[in-house]
Amino acid sequence: VTTSPLPGTTLKFIRIELGKGRALFDTPGLLVPGCLTERLTPEELKIVVPKKRVEPITFRVASGKCVLVGGLAKVELIGDSKPFLFTFFVANDIKLHPTDSERADEFTSKHVGKILTPPLEPGQERLEEIGEFEYHEIDVKGEGWKQAAADITLRGLGWVAVTGAGVAKVRIGVPKGIGITVRPPLMPFDVWEATAKYTGGRAVRKSTKSRSGKRRKGVGRS
């Protein structure tokens, strides 16, 4: 069986024998409206579509701060919200960059397609092709620091789990027409296994133990 980062390439049912009378079927998928993958090039899709197990990474975000998900999304905390933890479940090759909200647009314009990917070069031109950003404001009521309260999904990109106490006023920027939804957390207890520190040049997840008991190495995101 061959795999492809391009959506919609499976044309018919593919039967995969598992032995002992069991089989797995790979079926043609559906192109979902409002999905970011429809607007990316094949090379950009290779970055966005995970090739191996996703290593989530968590940032502590205060009001007036944000995290850039490549040049494709901006997740920020606004208003009088107390600091919250944002855990990003996106492909490992996507560059995550925490910064001040007021500096985010300038940073994106300067570095998109270079140290902030995807999109790829020519970054600013590709951003214009993908579409101007529109913004969605979401209130998330925290469930405390032991588990996430909700996931905010970025259709075709991944999701962000929100953890903390009080109410988080979250502002999401994505290209116009890309779907945003809120759901109960899919992996509510992974937040503390993925905490990160930011050194100014890259985000590094602290070394932790996996559920198997083996020590994980820190995971860096430029």
Side-chain angles (χ1 to χ4, degrees):
V1 177
T2 58
T3 61
S4 171
L6 297 174
T9 54
T10 302
L11 301 179
K12 62 181 181 179
F13 283 82
I14 300 175
R15 182 184 178 97
I16 304 168
E17 296 293 343
L18 301 178
K20 297 183 178 180
R22 296 175 296 177
L24 181 69
F25 290 88
D26 184 14
T27 66
L30 299 175
L31 296 179
V32 181
C35 190
L36 193 54
T37 53
E38 296 180 357
R39 306 189 190 182
L40 302 181
T41 67
E43 291 303 311
E44 290 165 350
L45 283 169
K46 291 179 182 179
I47 299 173
V48 169
V49 177
K51 295 182 286 291
K52 58 183 179 180
R53 178 177 175 174
V54 168
E55 295 283 357
I57 189 165
T58 298
F59 295 98
R60 180 184 182 274
V61 179
S63 183
K65 305 287 186 179
C66 71
V67 178
L68 301 175
V69 187
L72 299 177
K74 179 167 69 172
V75 183
E76 57 185 314
L77 197 64
I78 63 174
D80 57 358
S81 302
K82 295 180 180 179
F84 265 71
L85 299 178
F86 291 170
T87 304
F88 289 81
F89 293 82
V90 297
N92 299 336
D93 290 335
I94 294 176
K95 305 303 183 186
L96 302 176
H97 183 82
T99 188
D100 294 332
S101 294
E102 62 182 19
R103 296 184 57 241
D105 290 346
E106 177 186 354
F107 183 90
T108 299
S109 179
K110 184 177 180 180
H111 296 292
V112 67
K114 301 171 185 175
I115 65 173
L116 194 63
T117 57
L120 299 174
E121 290 276 37
Q124 192 60 44
E125 182 178 320
R126 283 292 298 130
L127 273 187
E128 294 172 2
E129 292 172 350
I130 291 169
E132 65 178 315
F133 271 26
E134 63 180 1
Y135 291 87
H136 310 262
E137 294 187 5
I138 301 167
D139 287 349
V140 178
K141 185 177 180 181
E143 297 286 346
W145 297 101
K146 292 185 178 181
Q147 67 182 74
D151 288 342
I152 301 173
T153 66
L154 314 174
R155 192 172 298 166
L157 193 57
W159 74 88
V160 185
V162 180
T163 305
V167 177
K169 296 182 181 296
V170 186
R171 189 169 185 249
I172 307 290
V174 289
K176 190 174 182 179
I178 298 304
I180 298 292
T181 57
V182 181
R183 69 185 184 196
L186 187 62
M187 303 180 72
F189 304 109
D190 278 30
V191 55
W192 293 110
E193 293 185 2
T195 53
K197 62 181 180 179
Y198 186 65
T199 64
R202 60 194 274 117
V204 181
R205 197 188 69 176
K206 299 174 184 176
S207 177
T208 59
K209 288 185 178 180
S210 67
R211 288 188 175 87
S212 66
K214 295 182 179 179
R215 175 100 20 207
R216 288 173 171 167
K217 296 180 180 178
V219 175
R221 296 283 182 89
S222 300

